[in-house]
Amino acid sequence: MSKITETRLTLAALIYGVEIDLKNSIKKNITPYFENLAFFKNAELEKKIIERFEKDNPGVNYSENLDEVIEFLDFQDTFTILNQNKEFLKKETVNYLKGRFKQLSDLTPIRNRVMHTRPLLGGDFSFTYNFISNLKKSDPIEWSVTIDTRDKIEKDPSYVLTLKFPTNHLDEEISKVSHNLPVPDFDETGFIGRSQDIEALTKLVLSNKVVSVLGDGGIGKTALALKVAYDIVDMNENCPFELIIWTSAKTTMLTSKGIEDIFTAITDYSGLISEISDSIGTDSKLHEILEYLDYFKTLLVIDNLETIQSPEVREFIREAQTKCNILITSRIGLGELEYPRKLKGLSETESAKLIREIARIRNSETLMKLPQKTLVEISSKLYFNPLAIKWFVSTVETGIAPHEVINNKEDLLDFCLTNVYEKLSEGAISILKTIRASRKKVTIAEIIYLSSYQPLETRKFLIELFKTTLISRQIEDGNNYEEVIYYISDFAKDFLSKKYPIEQSYVKANIKKSKELSSGIRQINKVQKYNEFALNALVYDNQNQMISAKFLHEALLFSKNGDFDNALLKVKEAKNIDPNYFEVYRVGAFIKATQGDLLSAEEDYQLGLEIAPENPRLLFYYAQFLVFKLEDVESALVYAKKVYEQKPNHPFTAFLIARCFNSAQEFNKAIQVVRNLKENVALDPKNLRIANTELISYYSETGKSELTIQTDIDNGIRHYKKAFELFEDCVQEKIVDYKMAKNFSVAILTFIRILPVVKIQDYKEYIKELILDNDKFINLTVDLKEKIILHYKDKFSDDSLNSLINFKSEEEKLVGNIRRTKNPKDNYVFIETKDSRVFAHRYDFIDIANWSDWKQLENGQLVTYEMGKNKTGPCAQTVKMI
């Protein structure tokens, strides 16, 4: 077994794998034969699971989604249902399940402790890991997810730091008591022994107003208090408290900061602030806390209260005990205010078990080989102190013989810390300095950003540090998962400050980088508020995603400058921080598409949509990618409609779906979308210009379709006239830009080209006047202007507009055939004659108005042209199709 550091996360990963595999077994072997949940064989269970499903999927018929319903089963329900439906299982599977049923049942309470942040017990890890280790690929039940997870952890224990586990739908069912209890820091071994202390302290807390757990440093006061507090929470309806508030006095007294923490905890967890705020004064936080305690039956736990020097705080405890129960951990008692419980060291058996548990998890062969008698002797010399025992194991792991550690027990912590620190790798020391210089609790993502290491390197160094207990961690509730926060333990902080102070320049550099991070995040938030569909408008739900967003912001800057390698490296770093962050895949896909890697880009978009299937920005960019990069108009419309339905009055979604309709040649739908937008939204000048520019193009395309396909001449001309009239309105409003002028010019050119012969005389003067009135705008598009005048001259046999351009010399026209390149996206072709092959650019074709015309140009098309020159040599110019 590899060395394991994050015990709770490791157990969560393994047990979650077991749960997935059991649910998959139900889906594979049972649900295909049912149209309802009759195979539950439990009406009450059916009702409960259906309620859970419908709560998360309102309006969805559960009977049509049985596989999805299975996801809402409790852990124990999975193997119970399999066992109750033996007729659908193979005989070997039935026998196998029968042999494993007891172990799965024993795994259930461990699973609940892991997933619901309850204190782990001694042996939880060993039992679970033994169970998982014995699973085989050849077992009758397919354990593919579990075994794959096990193999990844064996190969790299830091793998668990990349995982996010969804919060369970049972959270509200397990606890009826509001609390802010931290995740236990004794997860590595679980809570070992002290059954008599737990029972005695629980009774004292429930029957006395103020109880103190007293004992030497490292003896386990905090662990005991936390275990008892969680046990009281889990009394549920029998619990006499509505609130359990935990606060820690890290200094030698409960300062005003500690009081602030108590106040914040109470107000945050009460959920009733607005209802009673009118009756609460603001003169003193102490007074306000006392006011709150009148409303809620509260247990207040104050950890690490060594002495009370403030009369105000002493008076607070004196008054608070009349309104709530108080549990305190301290090295020194309070005297008449408390009922004390003196905590001694572990028993001989418990101490030896603690050493073995740590040695097993850390794979310490030296200690695992020692006999029980030797372990008891070692524990005795360490005064059976849990903290001393943990430091002993950490020090032995550095290579120092057990007897040498014991010989230095007079100054044990200093000796252990010095030896442990000096055996750290350079990277681990650097990460430790980064955490220290941060001067606060930090997430892995923050450490990665502030350090100079890659995400995977950083995690490995954290693993190395955590084995030493130089750093501690707590797990906080994130957005649908738990987030790990790291900080320097108190003992280590005091030791490091004295022995290994951080140089001033390092602290300043850390502060500077923190400011850069804050500045970057402010910029990201600013963009998000300005336009939620901007490429760099990144949203995040937690600290890890916030850091990932900063890396993605940097990736987009690299991409903008054409440095795709560094851009994708930044995306990879962001993904390593949080692989479940959908923005990673959106930004990565955009950069890959820009680079030309379309297949990888599409894969990233689809991965992002698996995580956030309804995210409007992800839908928007994927639809854009489909229509403009892959030219898959049908698929693009599916996603464009989804995002448009969410935000029908947003210019970006309206323009996107209109362009998709246009590409699908559903011109009337495109027109209607943009007209609705103009009617329902007060557009700013920029978006108004875009809306009118798009409409001019759509009216023109509709007219072209009516004239050439439907042969509805009058309707086709009417649409062209709408385009021209709209442009002239924009001229009057002074909102014309180059793009609008170009669309207008393309519309005139195509109108002249396809105007039926029967209408030539009717519209000759109309078109001539249109050109003359808007010459300054047509002049913005030099290549189009020349084509317009030449086509007007040919169409109407009228050279009166020739003065508007400088015609090339009327030399002899050459004739040849078009030869396209293999890449249909090239902007050039070749013209072949009997004796030569000449380069010709798209913009030199008189008959080509836009990309759509260019794509329709066929191989072998006969054309006339003139010879000219460009920067690279001779080329064809004034190319005209015959």
Side-chain angles (χ1 to χ4, degrees), residues 763-779:
Y763 286 93
K764 175 182 176 181
E765 291 303 317
Y766 171 79
I767 295 173
K768 182 176 182 178
E769 185 177 347
L770 200 61
I771 295 171
L772 290 171
D773 288 347
N774 297 287
D775 179 53
K776 67 178 181 179
F777 299 109
I778 299 173
N779 205 44

Side-chain angles (χ1 to χ4, degrees), residues 168-361:
N168 192 274
H169 50 266
L170 291 181
D171 284 345
E172 71 278 4
E173 296 177 19
I174 288 212
S175 176
K176 303 297 183 183
V177 183
S178 295
H179 67 86
N180 69 333
L181 296 176
V183 173
D185 61 1
F186 46 82
D187 271 354
E188 183 177 30
T189 59
F191 192 87
I192 293 176
R194 297 207 185 278
S195 57
Q196 291 182 351
D197 289 314
I198 293 172
E199 183 179 356
L201 184 59
T202 302
K203 289 180 179 178
L204 288 174
V205 170
L206 296 177
S207 58
N208 293 273
K209 284 298 185 177
V210 181
V211 178
S212 289
V213 181
L214 306 177
D216 298 332
I219 204 70
K221 302 184 296 294
T222 299
L224 177 63
L226 194 54
K227 177 69 170 69
V228 167
Y230 269 115
D231 286 352
I232 292 174
V233 167
D234 289 336
M235 291 172 66
N236 289 320
E237 62 273 5
N238 294 322
C239 179
F241 305 113
E242 296 171 297
L243 292 174
I244 297 182
I245 303 301
W246 179 282
T247 186
S248 183
K250 294 298 183 183
T251 59
T252 57
M253 59 177 285
L254 185 60
T255 60
S256 58
K257 176 62 170 66
I259 293 298
E260 184 72 32
D261 289 344
I262 296 172
F263 176 77
T264 301
I266 291 176
T267 54
D268 283 351
Y269 282 83
S270 70
L272 300 173
I273 303 171
S274 60
E275 294 182 25
I276 59 176
S277 58
D278 291 341
S279 64
I280 295 177
T282 57
D283 296 334
S284 165
K285 282 290 189 295
L286 292 174
H287 175 70
E288 292 182 45
I289 291 171
L290 294 172
E291 290 283 346
Y292 271 104
L293 296 178
D294 280 331
Y295 289 92
F296 306 103
K297 296 175 182 177
T298 305
L299 170 62
L300 176 62
V301 186
I302 306 175
D303 185 34
N304 288 332
L305 184 65
E306 306 304 349
T307 62
I308 295 183
Q309 299 177 6
S310 166
E312 183 183 29
V313 175
R314 180 179 287 274
E315 184 59 31
F316 162 71
I317 291 180
R318 191 184 301 278
E319 288 191 45
Q321 68 176 324
T322 65
K323 302 171 182 287
C324 73
N325 291 45
I326 302 174
L327 172 60
I328 294 169
T329 72
S330 178
R331 298 186 191 184
I332 303 173
L334 300 176
E336 79 283 0
L337 290 179
E338 68 182 348
Y339 191 104
R341 172 74 184 184
K342 179 69 175 178
L343 192 61
K344 299 178 181 179
L346 297 172
S347 69
E348 292 181 355
T349 303
E350 292 167 350
S351 298
K353 183 178 181 181
L354 177 60
I355 295 177
R356 290 194 187 281
E357 284 290 329
I358 302 174
R360 173 174 170 74
I361 290 171

Side-chain angles (χ1 to χ4, degrees), residues 584-597:
V584 168
Y585 301 97
R586 180 179 69 86
V587 173
F590 180 87
I591 293 172
K592 289 176 181 177
T594 305
Q595 189 184 24
D597 187 358

Side-chain angles (χ1 to χ4, degrees), residues 710-826:
Q710 283 83 8
T711 62
D712 186 341
I713 296 175
D714 291 337
N715 198 30
I717 292 175
R718 183 165 64 253
H719 277 88
Y720 269 110
K721 291 180 73 174
K722 285 183 179 179
F724 303 145
E725 289 165 2
L726 179 57
F727 179 78
E728 290 181 322
D729 289 341
C730 292
V731 171
Q732 294 297 320
E733 296 173 19
K734 298 181 179 180
I735 58 172
V736 176
D737 61 3
Y738 171 78
K739 176 66 176 174
M740 188 186 294
K742 183 177 180 180
N743 281 13
F744 170 70
S745 299
V746 169
I748 292 179
L749 178 58
T750 56
F751 185 50
I752 294 172
R753 283 175 51 200
I754 65 176
L755 183 67
V757 176
V758 294
K759 294 290 183 177
I760 285 179
Q761 291 305 316
D762 294 344
Y763 286 93
K764 175 182 176 181
E765 291 303 317
Y766 171 79
I767 295 173
K768 182 176 182 178
E769 185 177 347
L770 200 61
I771 295 171
L772 290 171
D773 288 347
N774 297 287
D775 179 53
K776 67 178 181 179
F777 299 109
I778 299 173
N779 205 44
L780 296 173
T781 59
V782 179
D783 59 317
L784 286 172
K785 180 175 181 179
E786 185 172 335
K787 294 178 183 181
I788 290 169
I789 303 303
L790 289 172
H791 270 84
Y792 178 84
K793 174 185 176 182
D794 290 345
K795 190 81 172 187
F796 300 108
S797 300
D798 181 359
D799 58 6
S800 61
L801 299 181
N802 288 9
S803 60
L804 298 179
I805 61 171
N806 294 318
F807 281 106
K808 298 180 178 66
S809 59
E810 289 287 345
E811 58 186 56
E812 183 182 355
K813 298 288 184 181
L814 303 174
V815 180
N817 296 96
I818 295 297
R819 286 292 174 262
R820 300 205 67 143
T821 64
K822 292 182 179 180
N823 186 354
K825 293 187 177 182
D826 284 341

Side-chain angles (χ1 to χ4, degrees), residues 20 100 109 112 124 134 171 248 324 370 379 401 467 475 506 558 565 602 657 670 730 756 828 879 882:
I20 292 174
R100 292 282 184 179
N112 290 337
D124 279 357
N134 290 324
D171 284 345
S248 183
C324 73
L370 294 178
S379 300
K467 288 189 301 181
I475 301 176
Y506 192 95
F558 278 120
D565 289 341
E602 181 169 34
I657 195 169
C730 292
Y828 60 89
V879 183
I882 298 176

Side-chain angles (χ1 to χ4, degrees), residues 607-643:
L607 285 171
L609 285 167
E610 285 183 17
I611 298 169
E614 301 300 323
N615 182 267
R617 188 162 46 260
L618 192 52
L619 292 168
F620 176 83
Y621 277 91
Y622 186 41
Q624 274 199 147
F625 168 79
L626 288 169
V627 70
F628 296 122
K629 292 292 186 180
L630 295 185
E631 298 182 19
D632 183 354
V633 179
E634 184 178 352
S635 297
L637 266 171
V638 172
Y639 293 95
K641 286 177 181 177
K642 283 185 177 181
V643 69

